[in-house]
Amino acid sequence: MPLPQLRALQLAQLQAMVARQYEQVPAYRAKFAAAGVTPDDLRTLEDLARFPLTRKSDLRDAYPLGLTAVPREQLRRLHASSGTTGKPTVVAYDENDLNVFAEVVARSLYAAGARPGMTFHNAYGYGLFTGGLGLHGGAERLGLCTVPVSGGGTERQVQLLLDLQPEVIACTPSYALVLAGELARRGLGPDDLALRFAVLGAEPWTDKTRQEVEARLGVTATNIYGLSEIIGPGVSNEDAAEQRGSYLWEDHFYPAIVHPETGEVLPDGEYGVLVLSSMTRTALPVLRYWTGDITRLIPEQNSTGRTFRRMDQLRGRADDLIILRGVNVYPTQLEAVLVGMGQVSPHYHVVLTRTGTRDDLTLRVETQTESAALRAEIERLVKVQVGVTITCDLCVPGSLPRSEGGKLKRVTDLRAPE
Ligand code: DLL
């Protein structure tokens, strides 16, 4: 779409969305009032910067469904992602939203190289996580024969890759390396597979990982980005022929990069926090959502002729979210487990390490009563309540770092930069 037309469409969609929020969602009306704006103040795209940001805490405060803009009977699906306090964030979709979801994922898969008639191995987790079902809907929309493998069961996954000969695979980049490892263990390689394209995301990765996955699985790998609060996977995707930044589907999601401290909107090319508005969502329209992800909009001209902007690979996060093997974990979720037990002091520290391609989290906890049973109980509770397998390390009181006035660093990330 020519740029002037695209900008006009975005403005019209944002105006309609803000009006819907104002009329249907009391929490947004209150936020607008506090910021001194009404929907009439949105006359140009620049005016959007005057409207308040939405944060994860807004969704949490409205738990489970306080920010939805349509009656409950119109909802067709709920997903959830982990929250900072142990309670998940629930996200809702109506029929229109599922349609938008399928459309943007279909586009993402097409950009990634997939074409109708191909077979698609979907190794993202099915369930409350948006990855599995999200990619599934878009793949069927594009006309792919979709194999809903979900995560885990590596040996079976590799067997299916050999038996069903899919051309396209989607999973986290770290899991792509695990699959490549299992293939190699069997003495097999890319020539034994039909794979041509890999659609990788949900966790940070680098060009070095890309090269490794491409060589070991015989694919062209592209980056898929997204987050539950905006829709799930398919907010942006790289083009397989270009592999240089992920195209934001700007007719559905309006991006801005803002300064991490001041919130000021920054020009294209500068790094800051990605803020997204889901313009066409009807059940859960989210205005100026603070993703916490640090990136930039690539200012150089692209090679594909699209007018949508590209976002660069993520540089990191503005908050303390840890992404462990594709699962979101906040340190406060671990703290909640410890506090709930009563037997250990609230002093804890998280150490992240990488062995080969596997990331591990060690939770170091201070306790008077060192015992194997206590260690096992903490590991079990974290698995049940947070959903990740970790190692617990008990240590003597006073040995862990304390806050020295500033922000206490709870996490030591020893995963080597690639
Ligand atoms: O991870 C949705 C998704 C599923 C994306 C499958 C891609 C593929 P959440 O669980 O809500 O949603 O986590 C969102 O994950 O804010 C980023 O910090 C991180 N993330 C997602 N995609 C990428 C990526 C899904 N391509 C959070 N590169 C986001 C780096 C990513 N980080």
Side-chain angles (χ1 to χ4, degrees):
M1 188 182 277
L3 211 48
Q5 226 172 306
L6 176 61
R7 296 288 174 255
L9 175 73
Q10 289 170 325
L11 179 61
Q13 283 177 330
L14 282 164
Q15 286 168 331
M17 168 186 168
V18 166
R20 276 200 312 279
Q21 288 182 317
Y22 191 76
E23 279 154 30
Q24 310 293 340
V25 189
Y28 271 109
R29 208 175 308 137
K31 274 174 80 77
F32 291 178
V37 290
T38 70
D40 293 339
D41 292 315
L42 187 60
R43 292 191 202 92
T44 67
L45 286 173
E46 287 69 43
D47 292 336
L48 191 62
R50 295 175 52 200
F51 282 72
L53 292 163
T54 305
R55 291 178 185 270
K56 186 134 190 144
S57 57
D58 291 306
L59 281 155
R60 206 167 57 225
D61 293 347
Y63 180 86
L65 291 169
L67 292 187
T68 45
V70 299
R72 183 81 180 237
E73 317 80 75
Q74 285 180 28
L75 300 183
R76 292 295 174 270
R77 196 194 290 173
L78 300 178
H79 280 290
S81 81
S82 45
T84 49
T85 57
K87 259 192 186 173
T89 303
V90 174
V91 292
Y93 306 73
D94 64 7
E95 207 174 314
N96 163 69
D97 296 336
L98 290 179
N99 213 17
V100 171
F101 202 0
E103 161 76 25
V104 294
V105 170
R107 258 191 227 177
S108 298
L109 290 168
Y110 191 92
R115 293 294 179 271
M118 289 183 176
T119 297
F120 173 56
H121 181 106
N122 186 11
Y124 276 113
Y126 281 66
L128 286 175
F129 177 53
T130 52
L133 282 166
L135 276 143
H136 188 106
E140 288 188 346
R141 172 71 54 94
L142 180 59
L144 306 181
C145 170
T146 305
V147 189
V149 193
S150 196
T154 304
E155 286 181 26
R156 193 183 53 145
Q157 299 242 0
V158 168
Q159 199 56 50
L160 287 169
L161 290 173
L162 293 165
D163 295 345
L164 303 180
Q165 294 282 303
E167 291 93 342
V168 187
I169 183 171
C171 59
T172 58
S174 52
Y175 197 60
L177 290 175
V178 171
L179 291 172
E182 170 62 15
L183 195 67
R185 197 188 63 79
R186 297 193 191 187
L188 301 173
D191 291 347
D192 300 295
L193 304 175
L195 282 181
R196 294 174 58 197
F197 303 105
V199 196
L200 311 180
E203 66 185 14
W205 58 305
T206 59
D207 278 336
K208 178 153 178 289
T209 301
R210 189 203 305 267
Q211 285 153 15
E212 199 176 332
V213 172
E214 290 190 332
R216 295 176 68 189
L217 291 180
V219 292
T220 299
T222 54
N223 187 30
I224 184 164
Y225 168 83
L227 63 167
S228 344
E229 292 82 359
I230 291 299
I231 201 152
V235 170
S236 70
N237 206 103
E238 285 174 329
D239 187 287
E242 186 184 59
Q243 295 181 305
R244 180 74 197 87
S246 302
Y247 287 92
L248 280 151
W249 308 126
E250 278 201 67
D251 51 340
H252 292 285
F253 313 115
Y254 189 75
I257 297 290
V258 307
H259 189 282
E261 268 107 48
T262 65
E264 177 205 350
V265 175
L266 300 173
D268 289 3
E270 286 190 28
Y271 280 93
V273 175
L274 177 66
V275 163
L276 291 165
S277 301
S278 53
M279 297 180 286
T280 52
R281 295 287 307 276
T282 40
L284 187 64
V286 177
L287 186 68
R288 303 195 74 220
Y289 187 72
W290 174 275
T291 65
D293 294 319
I294 311 262
T295 184
R296 63 173 192 143
L297 297 174
I298 298 176
E300 293 88 38
Q301 239 195 340
N302 67 58
S303 62
T304 67
R306 289 185 179 91
T307 48
F308 296 149
R309 284 171 286 183
R310 290 166 296 170
M311 55 183 271
D312 217 329
Q313 263 176 340
L314 301 193
R315 262 210 180 161
R317 295 207 31 105
D319 60 22
D320 53 2
L321 173 66
I322 299 165
I323 301 180
L324 184 73
R325 303 189 290 270
V327 181
N328 294 357
V329 182
Y330 283 95
T332 44
Q333 287 178 283
L334 303 171
E335 185 173 326
V337 172
L338 298 176
V339 169
M341 292 181 67
Q343 283 159 290
V344 289
S345 84
H347 297 294
Y348 68 97
H349 194 80
V350 173
V351 183
L352 299 168
T353 50
R354 177 169 296 156
T355 321
T357 57
R358 185 186 162 88
D359 287 357
D360 286 297
L361 187 157
T362 303
L363 178 60
R364 308 194 64 208
V365 181
E366 288 182 3
T367 174
Q368 304 275 10
T369 51
E370 151 116 67
S371 79
L374 179 61
R375 192 163 45 228
E377 179 61 1
I378 293 173
E379 289 171 356
R380 189 188 69 81
L381 285 172
V382 169
K383 176 79 195 163
V384 172
Q385 293 178 25
V386 188
V388 286
T389 303
I390 61 136
T391 306
C392 176
D393 181 12
L394 298 177
C395 39
V396 293
S399 59
L400 294 178
R402 300 286 194 270
S403 171
E404 279 152 17
K407 221 166 126 70
L408 177 61
K409 200 166 167 274
R410 289 278 193 198
V411 182
T412 302
D413 195 342
L414 298 175
R415 294 178 291 190
E418 289 168 90

